[in-house]
Each structure stands twice: as structure tokens, then as C-alpha cells.
Amino acid sequence: MKIATWNVNSLTARLQHVLDWLIANPVDVLCLQELKMSDDKFPLDVLKSAGYEAAVFGQKTYNGVAILSLAPMRDVARNIGGFTDDQSRVIAATVEAPAGPLRIVNGYFVNGQAPGTDKFEYKMGWLRALREWLHAEMAAHPNLVLLGDFNIAPEDRDSFDPVGLAETIHHTTEEREHFKALLQLGLVDSFRLFEQPEKSFSWWDYRMLGYQKNRGLRIDHILVSEPLVPRAKGCIIDRVPRKWEKPSDHAPVVLDLDQGV
DNA sequence: ATGACTGGTCGAACCAGA
């Protein structure tokens, strides 16, 4: 089965791209971020016609996340348990897969703007709360996938300019420590389980020909809990829709998960 | 050095993204 994540930068602007991409890539689960729409605007019907159930946690103008799934979902949870947040950034659901239930946790992590700002402090508090909540979530759900737009480039090789951008947003030691702390919970960065091209990125700035010059960052990730590691068959970044007209600035990331034995 | 693009909200220039 395949599980994907894609920050679409407005589902209103990108609905046709999502539908076109799903026809070419009929993944079992697609996690979306930055819907930029309230729940009542969510295109449930058209996605249903495409074969997908949806669990939605929208927000007007900013943020907003959703899980699309071919199989029914249950136990849908919104935002980080025990953490009060007026921004819609996390949705979780359990998907019944052939090899047993999978807990899907879809996050649109805080951007954080720049170290020293209020937004950066919000990012740090948010990441701390996420980790604490995930600790319990993983105990309850051994087969767990944490995926989405992390807004963290975990290592220097995940940035087009690690020296020039050292200790700037997405590259700070503090953010990277938070990423490592997620791994220490028992999660594995599935992309790095496999050999990958150098300069693999999932986001490119719209400005200054960012994509054409491959000036990007790898900030969209799919982490899997340890029991799922032997089932991971591949993880790729699909740059194709980034070349379409009026693209999202992010590309989808796709994990191929074996059915298991 | 700062700007650059893009989407949303408006109903003109913002904010926010990364």
C-alpha cells in the first residue's frame, strides 16, 4: 500500500492538481496540509467520487489538514491532545489496512519565521507538546506513521545551502534537536531507509527560479514506527506536479509499505 | 540590504508562507 503527504498551499487553488495526481498515483492514503479553507468548503463530494473518504480539520485562510483514504477511517482526532491551539495543524485517524490497523498522524508543523520571534517560540512549544502526545499515541498504536510538512530540514544534506542558511529557520540546532527527539521516540525517517539522489528536496521557493535552480529544502517527511520499518519498500519525492502550471511550492512524498507477513 | 512569488482576504494593500 502507498501513503503520501502533500502540502498543497490552498486546496481551492490545487483541487484539480490533487485529482489529477490521484488518478496517476492512486495511493491508499493521502495527507494534505495548508488547505486554507473551512470545513464547510471542503470538497467532500468530488473526493468521494474519486473514491476517497476524508477526515478534515479545516481553517479559514490559514493552515488546515485532511486525510484522504480509500479505506474507511476511525478514531479521528484533531490537534495535539492536551495542547490548546487555535490553529488547525494536526489530524489523526486509524486506517484498517490488510496487515492490521495503521495510525496515521498528519501534521502541518509550525513555520516559526525566525529564531527569536514569538512564532519561533510557538514552534518550540508546539514541537514539545507534539512529542509528549506522540509518546502516548505510539504506546496505544504500535503501527504509526507521522507525516506531513515538518518545516524542518533535519540535516545539512536536506538543504540547498546549508552553510549560507546555517541557524536560520528550518536549519536551527533547536529545530533539529526536536526532529531527533521524534526519532528517539522510536520513529524512523523512511526516506533515508533508501538510497536517494543527492540534493533531494520537497519544497522550492516560488521566487528567483527556485525550482529551476533546485534551490530547495527537504522539509516534508514520512516517519514510521519501528514495527513498520521492515515493511517499508521505498520512499520517493514526486517532483512531477511541481512542474505543472500554477503548482504548490511543495511536492508529494510517497511511502510504499508492504502488506506484511 | 532587501526583494523576489503565490494565495487569501478585501475590495487596497496587507499577512503569511519558508
Side-chain angles (χ1 to χ4, degrees):
Chain A
M1 68 182 294
K2 289 191 176 178
I3 300 171
T5 176
W6 194 6
N7 179 324
V8 291
N9 184 19
S10 166
L11 186 57
T12 308
R14 227 68 62 195
L15 180 58
Q16 196 57 51
H17 279 202
V18 170
L19 295 170
D20 291 347
W21 189 81
L22 282 173
I23 286 172
N25 304 271
V27 294
D28 297 270
V29 176
L30 174 60
C31 293
L32 302 173
Q33 305 90 35
E34 278 211 86
L35 305 179
K36 296 187 173 181
M37 60 169 52
S38 47
D39 287 0
D40 57 303
K41 300 279 199 300
F42 191 87
L44 268 183
D45 292 343
V46 63
L47 288 164
K48 183 77 183 171
S49 302
Y52 286 87
E53 310 268 328
V56 185
F57 186 29
Q59 184 177 334
K60 185 180 158 78
T61 311
Y62 302 119
N63 312 309
V65 285
I67 305 175
L68 311 184
S69 170
L70 291 175
M73 289 174 276
R74 56 179 165 86
D75 300 326
V76 176
R78 291 170 175 81
N79 264 349
I80 298 167
F83 180 73
T84 305
D85 195 348
D86 58 8
Q87 305 189 7
S88 303
R89 294 185 171 277
V90 174
I91 188 165
T94 299
V95 175
E96 207 56 62
L102 270 184
R103 188 65 172 169
I104 304 289
V105 180
N106 172 22
Y108 174 46
F109 289 39
V110 178
N111 176 307
Q113 194 172 53
T117 63
D118 288 348
K119 288 175 182 174
F120 192 83
E121 282 316 300
Y122 167 52
K123 183 174 195 171
M124 294 303 109
W126 191 93
L127 285 163
R128 204 171 306 119
L130 177 73
R131 179 168 78 247
E132 287 164 9
W133 172 67
L134 267 177
H135 184 78
E137 196 73 2
M138 289 179 65
H141 310 279
N143 295 331
L144 183 144
V145 182
L146 171 67
L147 71 172
D149 175 0
F150 284 53
N151 274 316
I152 301 173
E155 301 176 41
D156 280 355
R157 60 179 166 164
D158 300 313
S159 171
F160 72 97
D161 186 9
V163 176
L165 294 173
E167 296 303 331
T168 66
I169 198 64
H170 305 118
H171 302 69
T172 66
T173 303
E174 230 178 322
E175 291 165 282
R176 288 175 170 179
E177 288 301 319
H178 273 291
F179 188 87
K180 286 180 199 159
L182 291 172
L183 302 184
Q184 280 156 12
L185 289 175
L187 292 166
V188 176
D189 182 353
S190 63
F191 189 75
R192 293 300 181 200
L193 288 171
F194 306 95
E195 197 170 326
Q196 302 289 357
E198 279 186 43
K199 302 187 193 304
S200 285
F201 306 129
S202 65
W203 169 88
W204 301 260
D205 202 309
Y206 285 125
R207 299 167 292 184
M208 295 171 69
L209 301 173
Y211 181 72
Q212 289 84 340
K213 296 178 175 172
N214 198 28
R215 294 163 59 91
L217 304 174
R218 192 177 71 94
I219 53 178
D220 300 272
H221 308 298
I222 304 181
L223 274 48
V224 297
S225 61
E226 306 226 338
L228 297 178
V229 171
R231 289 171 51 190
K233 291 202 299 186
C235 181
I236 59 108
I237 297 168
D238 183 3
R239 293 163 59 133
V240 169
R242 187 64 178 78
K243 300 169 192 163
W244 292 346
E245 192 147 351
K246 285 203 159 267
S248 167
D249 43 357
H250 295 253
V253 184
V254 186
L255 169 69
D256 192 355
L257 207 56
D258 207 353
Q259 307 293 20
V261 196

